Amino acid sequence: MSALTEKAAALLSEGIVTKVIGYEEGNKKPRPLFCESAEDAQRLIYDSRCMNNLAVYLTKPELLGTGKVAVVATIPVLRSIVQLSVEHQLKEDKFVFLTVNQKGEVIEFSGFDAMSEYLVQFQYAMEKKEQEMILKLEGMTREERWAFWMQELSQCFKCYACRAACPLCYCTRCIVEVNCPQWIQPWAAPIGNFEWQISRAMHLAGRCTGCGACGEACPVGIPIHLLTHKMMEDIGSEFGLTPGQTAQNGNVLSTFNVGDKENFIH
């Protein structure tokens, strides 16, 4: 029995939590697992292949129920939890937050502050493949970038898997569902798809935690996560914020300061 399965089984057996959300082996790769018994906990795994952002479930009471829930969190999931806490979407006393360090030891966090302190040692770094793609896009002319994204987004058929996979897309009513007025076309078309993805990227400005779940979820392989990752990069250079660091006084596009440089206005 691993330290993780032992810890999860104890939490469930002792009635400390009613559910443990973690990962289990799937047909091709790890998938989310909802454990409700010590027997279920034996299926838990934790390694570098665990990519799903489990924080997406934490704002959904219909999935969690009324009892206390334990979450086995990877570093991207921890970043998302911290961001959700700053946005007042999670109550500390409703969860037990766990992670597994490189030695295989299980760490239980006392709260959001302890989680933030732990994350300091894990500086966000974009994957090499993503860095190369962003550099390639930056090397294009404006017209070439427009053509690239129009081509990519023409494949989108508005399934909204990207939205469903993102823990920071927790609005009870999304802009794409507003039909009076109709802000974004509900059908799949290049311009409407472009409007949807740009709106989503702006919504996540300064909030995206870089987990890449949106791009991973896209059934046709559109690299939509590059939009928010590039936004993260720009916000890092302009505001000094990187994933795992939270803006305690509001997110960058939801606040106003008379002292802002406004050097984007031409």
Side-chain angles (χ1 to χ4, degrees), residues 178-208:
V178 176
N179 56 16
C180 189
Q182 188 80 63
W183 292 106
I184 295 175
Q185 297 172 346
W187 55 85
I191 292 297
N193 296 348
F194 200 95
E195 290 172 338
W196 155 237
Q197 292 298 345
I198 292 300
S199 295
R200 187 173 170 276
M202 297 299 282
H203 184 197
L204 289 166
R207 304 172 62 237
C208 176

Side-chain angles (χ1 to χ4, degrees), residues 13 18 24 99 178 220:
S13 299
T18 58
E24 69 172 341
T99 195
V178 176
V220 292

Side-chain angles (χ1 to χ4, degrees), residues 55-56 59-60 84 87 89 160-174 196 199-201 203-204 207 214 228:
V56 73
T59 54
K60 296 177 170 56
L84 286 169
E87 297 179 14
Q89 297 302 310
Y160 302 123
C162 50
R163 179 182 67 176
C166 178
L168 279 305
C169 280
Y170 55 75
C171 295
T172 55
R173 192 183 186 200
C174 179
W196 155 237
S199 295
R200 187 173 170 276
H203 184 197
L204 289 166
R207 304 172 62 237
C214 55
T228 51

Side-chain angles (χ1 to χ4, degrees), residues 17 64-70 90-97:
V17 302
L64 301 180
T66 56
K68 201 168 189 177
V69 174
L90 301 179
K91 292 183 179 180
E92 202 169 69
D93 60 349
K94 295 292 184 183
F95 299 95
V96 172
F97 297 111

